[in-house]
Structure formats: C-alpha cells, structure tokens
Amino acid sequence: NSVAVASIHVPLAAPPVSSAVQSVDNSTCKLQFIVFRNGKLFPCTGNSSNLADDGKRRSVSTPVAFTKLDGCILGTAVHSVTINLRHFALGVDPTAAYWDFDLLDGHGGWRAEGCHITGSAGNTTTIHCTHHNNFAVLMDLKKVLSFPPYPGEFLHPVVYACTAVMLLCLFASIITYIVHHSAIRISRKGWHVLLNFCFHTALTFAVFAGGINRIKYPIICQAVGVALHYSTLSTMLWLGVTARNIYTQVTKKPPQSQDGAPPPARSRQPLLRDVHCL
C-alpha cells in the first residue's frame, strides 16, 4: 500500500513439486518477517561497505528486511524471495545486498551475491534474492548529499576591496571621536555606544573576510566561528542600544514650568550682530 515501508512476496510451490515445502515433525511452517527502520543495527565501517559494490562505497538507503522460513524443509522452488523496499534517503547507483555475519572476522558486512534489483518505481525498489536473510538497498549518498567543492584559499577580490574601504571608514570614525572627543557635542553614553558599535562592526568584517575560508584546520575554523558569533551579536546589541537612545531623545517631553505652562523659548543669538554706522 501507499504507506508500507516494506513488503515481501514468497512464491508458492508448484503442484508437481510436492516436496518443495515439507514440515518438520508435522509442525507448521512459519514465515518470519522483520523490518528494521534503518541500517544502524548493521554497522559496517560506519553503516557503509565496499564489499557489496565492487569497491564503491555505498550506504543503506532503505529499511532492512529480515525474512526466514522456520520449521520447514525448503525445496528449490521457495528459496527465492521478492521484497519491495521504500527509500528514506536519496542516492545514485543502487545495489541489492544481504548481511553476511561471517565477513570481517565475524563483524559482518554487506554482500551482493544472489541478490539483484528487478524494478524501481518512484521511491520504492524491488529486489529478488535466492535465499532468506537480512536485505537492503545500498546507494551512493555522497554524490547527492555532498558538500559544495572547496572554494579555495581566497575570496573574490571585490570582497577584500570593499572590506578594506569599510574598515578604513570605521577606524577613521573611531579615531576621530577619540581625538576630538572634547570638541564633539555628544553625551558620554552616546560616545561609548558609538565606539563599541564601530569596533564590533569592524571586527565582524575583518573576521569574515580573513577567516571564512579557513576550513582545513578545525581549531582555526572553530575560532573563526566563535569570533563571528560574538562580533555579530555584539554589533546587533549596540545597534539596538543606539536605536533606543535615538527613540528616547526624540520622544522626550520638554520640561514643564510650575504653573503647567511650557517655559519660554530661549531667544537664539544671531550669528552676525548688527553693525551701526556713526
């Protein structure tokens, strides 16, 4: 049906072959059918194996189905089994395989002898095997789920040029506000917020341009990631503080006099005083 992850079909014995299935001690023949959701119970070099696929490394992409006829003497007519398996992962180059417990000094591994794919429709693959065992479909998942190729040691030159201009402007602003602090009319709180915002913005640009491609060494990659998280969060923090200060200054009400009337506006001094001729 449409929701089944696995199904099995065992051929019936033909009438002339009356000894195809015979019970042992007049017991009833039982078909055991177990489905495992994935291949984690069959670990072979990280749930992959190069034993079933001519040296190519494939992984389990379907549920693992176990089949066994218990209490029967099997003839050749019912040794084969057909199984439909629904894929839970996408991949290429599929192959049918069964789990051999004797491989790798008893650790087990996937083998393909006696199993082959008979059909595939949508995300379901049909396999046919000449014996009963644990069956699955192995596929090459790396070609579908692989990461993009390594971009190289350096980014595009435009990135470095724009980063250099941005850093020059930010450090010019920082130096200007530090050197001419007494001449610039700005509150101490605003001065502190502005310097921190410029510094952490410059740190974000510098770390991104200089370390975003350093992925060959895990320690350097982790350090770049931590620095980027810190600088970006700090930049957003100081940006929020700046927006709050601007909002407070804009919405601040003028002081009221004792009688409730607004204080008289101070007369502005003219830039140029009148010159009277004698």
Side-chain angles (χ1 to χ4, degrees):
N1 52 51
S2 59
V3 298
V5 297
S7 61
I8 181 176
H9 173 71
V10 178
L12 297 176
V17 189
S18 58
S19 61
V21 178
Q22 297 179 356
S23 62
V24 179
D25 298 332
N26 295 326
S27 61
T28 304
C29 296
K30 296 181 180 179
L31 172 64
Q32 299 182 10
F33 182 53
I34 303 174
V35 179
F36 303 93
R37 182 176 299 178
N38 48 50
K40 293 183 178 180
L41 291 180
F42 306 88
C44 181
T45 316
N47 200 24
S48 300
S49 174
N50 58 359
L51 302 177
D53 40 24
D54 300 328
K56 297 181 180 180
R57 192 174 185 85
R58 293 187 177 95
S59 301
V60 177
S61 62
T62 62
V64 179
F66 169 77
T67 64
K68 181 182 179 182
L69 283 174
D70 192 15
C72 302
I73 299 177
L74 299 180
T76 57
V78 291
H79 268 296
S80 61
V81 60
T82 302
I83 301 176
N84 297 320
L85 296 173
R86 184 178 295 273
H87 293 270
F88 59 77
L90 299 177
V92 296
D93 200 11
T95 184
Y98 72 96
W99 183 261
D100 189 349
F101 289 93
D102 298 328
L103 288 179
L104 301 178
D105 298 329
H107 293 284
W110 294 103
R111 299 187 63 178
E113 289 80 0
C115 295
H116 63 277
I117 296 177
T118 59
S120 180
N123 61 346
T124 302
T125 299
T126 303
I127 65 175
H128 179 81
C129 297
T130 58
H131 50 80
H132 291 263
N133 209 309
N134 295 282
F135 306 104
V137 176
L138 308 183
M139 303 183 72
D140 186 359
L141 306 180
K142 292 185 178 181
K143 293 184 179 179
V144 178
L145 305 177
S146 59
F147 291 100
Y150 180 60
E153 291 289 339
F154 302 99
L155 300 174
H156 196 277
V158 176
V159 177
Y160 296 106
C162 295
T163 302
V165 173
M166 180 63 68
L167 292 178
L168 181 62
C169 295
L170 291 173
F171 282 116
S173 300
I174 293 174
I175 295 174
T176 301
Y177 273 89
I178 292 177
V179 174
H180 302 284
H181 171 60
S182 58
I184 300 176
R185 297 184 59 182
I186 187 173
S187 64
R188 183 176 180 84
K189 182 185 297 184
W191 181 78
H192 178 72
V193 170
L194 181 61
L195 291 184
N196 277 280
F197 172 73
C198 292
F199 171 76
H200 288 96
T201 303
L203 181 62
T204 302
F205 281 99
V207 173
F208 178 84
I212 195 62
N213 276 20
R214 304 295 179 260
I215 60 177
K216 289 185 177 180
Y217 304 99
I219 297 179
I220 298 179
C221 185
Q222 293 174 3
V224 171
V226 171
L228 278 177
H229 276 80
Y230 166 74
S231 60
T232 51
L233 290 177
S234 298
T235 301
M236 295 301 298
L237 170 65
W238 292 114
L239 184 62
V241 174
T242 303
R244 180 181 179 276
N245 289 340
I246 295 175
Y247 176 78
T248 302
Q249 292 295 331
V250 171
T251 58
K252 185 177 181 180
K253 295 182 179 180
Q256 301 288 334
S257 60
Q258 295 181 356
D259 56 355
R266 297 177 59 184
S267 60
R268 298 179 60 185
Q269 298 293 334
L271 296 178
L272 297 176
R273 294 187 177 184
D274 296 334
V275 180
H276 298 278
C277 296
L278 296 175

